[in-house]
Amino acid sequence: MSLTITPLSSALGAQISGVDISQPLSVEQRDAIEQALLNHQVLFFRDQPLTPQQQARFAAHFGDLHIHPIYPNVPEQPEVLILDTAETDVRDNAIWHTDVTFLPTPALGAVLSAKQLPAFGGDTLWASGIAAYEALSEPLKRLLQGLTATHEFIKSFPLERFGNTPEDLARWEETRRKNPPLSHPVIRTHPVSGRQSLFVNDGFTTRINELSESESEAILKLLFAHATRPEFTIRWRWQENDVAFWDNRVTQHYAVDDYRPQRRVMHRATILGDVPFFR
């Protein structure tokens, strides 16, 4: 194989070259990319123009795909959702979040493809939950181990922004009915690497269940700030046809909303994961 992996920071991130991900992957290519994802948590591919069908095929090498209940999707490829600032209010992406943690089995990962970019702005940042966890003091690690937190769909998808037409309201109410609040461990064990990671995020986490309301608020505020310290993050400046592939089990990300009124169009394929656990 000619696949080349170039690390971009100590905490997370690597650029991958020498592979055309618009084509079906060989077993060797697939395994090498998966190992790179485990090692680096978010991977970047330059100059990879993908059709929705090719994007879905690449993502499906790593698991079954999710169809998002709220965002619009590509009609002929519903597993690929469309993040288009000209059509949809995507400000909930401009907050540190881990995708769809309101699901019992949150996403394993996601593949994001840049289709139309502003002349300036529109970067995305990722943060490593592994680096953040490992930097905690031992007493705080012991406090957090075994705790659980509530994650809620409506925190990032409030009714006032996503229920403004009869069709949108019906979709929102159906999604809320199918996705009641649920709990995940505050510290998650990666199911493949066995490494431990913070698994709370400002996008969907509402409280730590075993603590009082005031204690939960204070601890979550501390963890949200700690998890996104610059030394645990990487910032990607997009070029057209760039592709990012991240491990959603151990990262958060933030799409910087600094380019209005310019337009930004991204396509995302989301790979379903498993039930989070702590061991």
Side-chain angles (χ1 to χ4, degrees):
M1 289 188 304
S2 57
L3 189 147
T4 301
I5 302 168
T6 305
L8 300 176
S9 80
S10 296
L12 77 170
Q15 186 169 335
I16 307 296
S17 59
V19 60
D20 181 358
I21 63 173
S22 71
Q23 300 302 310
L25 300 180
S26 68
V27 173
E28 292 78 13
Q29 288 173 323
R30 186 258 179 218
D31 290 349
I33 291 170
E34 181 179 53
Q35 187 60 52
L37 186 70
L38 292 174
N39 293 342
H40 300 287
Q41 302 166 58
V42 56
L43 307 178
F44 302 102
F45 304 79
R46 291 284 196 195
D47 191 25
Q48 296 275 351
L50 299 178
T51 67
Q53 294 77 16
Q54 291 168 338
Q55 184 175 355
R57 182 177 62 198
F58 172 74
H61 281 290
F62 304 94
D64 295 331
L65 304 187
H66 174 248
I67 298 177
H68 201 279
I70 296 294
Y71 285 129
N73 52 30
V74 176
E76 66 273 18
Q77 195 70 53
E79 300 90 350
V80 175
L81 65 84
I82 303 169
L83 299 169
D84 183 349
T85 55
E87 303 294 336
T88 306
D89 184 346
V90 296
R91 80 182 78 161
D92 56 281
N93 286 281
I95 185 174
W96 282 105
H97 66 285
T98 301
D99 287 334
V100 295
T101 61
F102 59 83
L103 294 177
T105 55
L108 175 155
V111 177
L112 188 65
S113 177
K115 297 301 180 185
Q116 181 175 333
L117 297 171
F120 52 84
D123 296 354
T124 303
L125 295 90
W126 281 264
S128 169
I130 292 174
Y133 172 76
E134 291 178 349
L136 292 174
S137 67
E138 290 303 320
L140 189 49
K141 288 179 182 177
R142 289 195 296 270
L143 171 67
L144 298 176
Q145 289 173 359
L147 297 182
T148 63
T150 298
H151 296 244
E152 299 194 44
F153 152 77
I154 62 174
K155 188 176 183 187
S156 276
F157 294 96
L159 176 61
E160 60 268 22
R161 285 202 290 119
F162 290 92
N164 293 321
T165 68
E167 182 182 42
D168 288 345
L169 178 59
R171 184 184 301 111
W172 185 89
E173 289 180 335
E174 177 69 6
T175 302
R176 183 183 62 170
R177 183 185 66 79
K178 290 182 175 179
N179 297 278
L182 51 70
S183 295
H184 295 308
V186 172
I187 306 300
R188 178 177 186 175
T189 302
H190 195 289
V192 180
S193 72
R195 301 181 73 182
Q196 293 179 342
S197 167
L198 281 179
F199 196 64
V200 292
N201 70 93
D202 202 10
F204 295 110
T205 309
T206 56
R207 70 163 296 155
I208 298 177
N209 301 317
E210 294 80 8
L211 304 182
S212 69
E213 184 175 350
S214 60
E215 291 170 338
S216 169
E217 182 179 357
I219 294 295
L220 283 178
K221 183 177 180 180
L222 181 154
L223 294 179
F224 293 159
H226 172 79
T228 57
R229 283 166 47 182
E231 57 265 40
F232 308 145
T233 70
I234 191 166
R235 182 170 183 145
W236 186 252
R237 180 162 295 176
W238 294 96
Q239 297 176 13
E240 190 170 328
N241 294 320
D242 279 359
V243 173
F245 177 22
W246 66 92
D247 190 332
N248 195 67
R249 298 165 292 193
V250 292
T251 62
Q252 302 183 47
H253 54 281
Y254 186 117
V256 183
D257 192 1
D258 62 350
Y259 49 87
R260 310 291 179 139
Q262 299 177 88
R263 187 180 183 186
R264 183 176 185 266
V265 182
M266 313 291 280
H267 284 181
R268 190 181 89 199
T270 305
I271 305 158
L272 286 170
D274 46 19
V275 176
F277 65 90
F278 169 74
R279 182 173 59 222

